Structures are given as structure tokens and as C-alpha cells.
């Protein structure tokens, strides 16, 4: 499927790459008075996030052409934030579909593809999620964003390094050198980029076939596209979509093994 193809391609590329050059980026590269002709110039000035096979950075759509340090800082903040959300979402999609139907989770009422899970949860969950988002975004704004009444609208503080809130409950940054921290930031950016691509593929796949990710992928892996269509007709919209999809996948596996 599209999801498996994207993940396999991305993992293959990442596994084949040599250890990337680590740049200890600081707030200097985001100086609002600086102007960069393109992503290569910004990378040379100290912008982290570039690695093989694009050691000088990649900017296909030209977002960084003629960009200033302030806009570059804002774009990097957006990339890191979306990457973090996507990493959580990717894990949530896969784990959520594996535990759905469990009696300890909302009385086993949540079922079907992950894109439909949130709508099935009680109103209390909506409130808790909203409160959590409000708390996190408030913290992010207070840490990094400039006062809109005294500074340029939508600008970040001059000394703010994107993504660095000072939040480290597990102490992962303790006793780490500047090079260690730069390497950790690069890993976070790259994993976030992969997660953004992955969650886009997951959502698109479920919107198209209306089936749980893993059972649908495994049926397609058997090389039986017709079976996937039949699975969609039989399970999409069923009372317990997850159980139906898993049962169909198991039966299909047996049929393939038997040579039918």
C-alpha cells in the first residue's frame, strides 16, 4: 500500500546514509537583520536540519529564497512543532487501532479506522484534549513569541531557539555536550519529517478505503487487490469494524497459505 511503500522507502534511505554533519545551531542564524539568498546560504550560516543526501539543505518550493532570519526562525518553529505533533499522531494511529475494542477503553465502544476514533469518544475527552492543547500552546507562546503590541506581529523573541522550551522531565539533556545536543536536535527534526509524511499517508489511506491500517496493509501484501476491495465492502461501516477487518485478514492469510 501507499503507507508501507512510503515507510519502507524512507527507512531504506535513512539506513543507507552515513552519519550526518552536525551543526550546533544557535539563535545567531535567526538574527532578524540577516538576509539569506537561499537554503544553502542559511545552512552555511549555521541552520541545522540538513543532512545527506542533501547536505546543503533541500527547498524544492523555494520558501527560503530571499528569506530573513526572523521568517527563517518562524518556519523552523513551525516545522519542529508539526513534526512533534505528527510523531505523536503516528504512534497514536497504530497503537489506537491495536487496542480498540478493549473493555478498559471507553467500554469497547471505539472502533473502526483511527480517523473515526476521536469522534466516538465522550465529551469529557474532548474537553481534556482541548485543555491540554491550550496549556501547551500557552507555554510555547510565552517562551518563544514576541509581544504583538510592542513587536512585529507573528515574530519570535530574538534569543529564542525554535523548539527549545526548557522542558525535559526525563533529563535527556543532562551532562550532554553542545555536539550531543545538536545531534539530538537533528534526529528530532528528521524523525518529525518522516512522521509528517507517514501520518499523511495513513490518513489518506483510511479516507480512501475506510479500513484499519495494518489489516488492510497485510491483505494487500498478500498481493490480492480484489480481496482488499471485498474487505472494504464487508467491514467498512460494520458494528465492530476492527474485529471484522482482523478476522478477514486472518482468513485471507489462511486462504493464501492454502493456495486458493
Amino acid at each position: 500500500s501507499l503507507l508501507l511503500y512510503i515507510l519502507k522507502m524512507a527507512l531504506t534511505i535513512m539506513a543507507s546514509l552515513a552519519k550526518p554533519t552536525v551543526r550546533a545551531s544557535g539563535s545567531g542564524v535567526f538574527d532578524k537583520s540577516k538576509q539569506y539568498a537561499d537554503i544553502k546560504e542559511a545552512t552555511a550560516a549555521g541552520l541545522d536540519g540538513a543532512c545527506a543526501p542533501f547536505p546543503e539543505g533541500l527547498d524544492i518550493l523555494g520558501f527560503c529564497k530571499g528569506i530573513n532570519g526572523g521568517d527563517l526562525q518562524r518556519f523552523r518553529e513551525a516545522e519542529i512543532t508539526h513534526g512533534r505533533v505528527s510523531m505523536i499522531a503516528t504512534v497514536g494511529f497504530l497503537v489506537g487501532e491495536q487496542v480498540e475494542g478493549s473493555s478498559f477503553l471507553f467500554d469497547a465502544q471505539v472502533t473502526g479506522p483511527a480517523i473515526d476514533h476521536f469522534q466516538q469518544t465522550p465529551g469529557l475527552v474532548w474537553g481534556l484534549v482541548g485543555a491540554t492543547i491550550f496549556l501547551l500552546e500557552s507555554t510555547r507562546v510565552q517562551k518563544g513569541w514576541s509581544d504583538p503590541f510592542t513587536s512585529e506581529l507573528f515574530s519570535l523573541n530574538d534569543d529564542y531557539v525554535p523548539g527549545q522550551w526548557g522542558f525535559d522531565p526525563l533529563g535527556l539533556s543532562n551532562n550532554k555536550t553542545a555536539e550531543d545536543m545538536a545531534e539530538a536536535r537533528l534526529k528530532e527534526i528528521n524523525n518529525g519529517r518522516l512522521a509528517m509524511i507517514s501520518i499523511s499517508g495513513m490518513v489518506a489511506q483510511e479516507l480512501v478505503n475506510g479500513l484499519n491500517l495494518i489489516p488492510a496493509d497485510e491483505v494487500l501484501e498478500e498481493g490480492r487487490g480484489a480481496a482488499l476491495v471485498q474487505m472494504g465492502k464487508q467491514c467498512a461501516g460494520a458494528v465492530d469494524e476492527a474485529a471484522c477487518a482482523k478476522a478477514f485478514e486472518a482468513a485471507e492469510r489462511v486462504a493464501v497459505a492454502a493456495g486458493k
Side-chain angles (χ1 to χ4, degrees), residues 14 20 25 29 33 80 122 140 155 164 170 184 204 212 222 227-228 254:
M14 291 175 69
S25 175
V29 70
S33 65
I80 291 175
R140 189 167 72 94
S155 64
Q164 295 190 24
L170 299 179
N212 289 45
E222 300 292 344
L228 182 62
V254 171

Side-chain angles (χ1 to χ4, degrees), residues 48-163:
D48 53 10
C51 62
F54 307 104
E56 296 181 330
L58 178 66
D59 183 23
I60 297 175
L61 299 179
F63 288 118
C64 293
K65 287 186 176 180
I67 195 170
N68 60 54
D71 287 340
L72 185 67
Q73 180 188 34
R74 186 159 48 87
F75 287 178
R76 174 46 53 86
E77 173 73 5
E79 180 181 26
I80 291 175
T81 301
H82 283 86
R84 288 171 174 173
V85 171
S86 296
M87 285 188 279
I88 296 172
T90 301
V91 174
F93 257 56
L94 297 175
V95 173
E97 290 189 352
Q98 294 307 299
V99 301
E100 67 181 41
S102 302
S103 58
F104 73 91
L105 197 64
F106 309 122
D107 295 326
Q109 296 302 307
V110 177
T111 185
I115 55 172
D116 296 330
H117 282 188
F118 190 66
Q119 301 91 308
Q120 300 175 56
T121 57
L124 176 62
V125 175
W126 289 53
L128 291 174
V129 170
T132 301
I133 293 173
F134 177 81
L135 178 62
L136 293 175
E137 284 299 287
S138 296
T139 301
R140 189 167 72 94
V141 168
Q142 292 173 22
K143 290 283 186 181
W145 291 81
S146 303
D147 185 344
F149 297 103
T150 59
S151 304
E152 183 181 351
L153 194 62
F154 303 123
S155 64
L156 298 171
N157 294 325
D158 293 339
D159 59 348
Y160 175 66
V161 177

Side-chain angles (χ1 to χ4, degrees), residues 140-207:
R140 189 167 72 94
V141 168
Q142 292 173 22
K143 290 283 186 181
W145 291 81
S146 303
D147 185 344
F149 297 103
T150 59
S151 304
E152 183 181 351
L153 194 62
F154 303 123
S155 64
L156 298 171
N157 294 325
D158 293 339
D159 59 348
Y160 175 66
V161 177
Q164 295 190 24
W165 300 3
F167 179 73
D168 185 19
L170 299 179
L172 299 178
S173 61
N174 294 345
N175 303 316
K176 295 294 179 64
T177 65
E179 184 178 355
D180 290 336
M181 292 303 299
E183 184 174 355
R185 285 196 297 272
L186 179 59
K187 289 178 179 178
E188 180 184 29
I189 291 171
N190 281 336
N191 280 296
R193 289 166 175 168
L194 177 59
M196 286 188 278
I197 296 172
S198 299
I199 194 63
S200 298
M202 292 177 179
V203 171
Q205 178 174 317
E206 291 197 345
L207 285 173

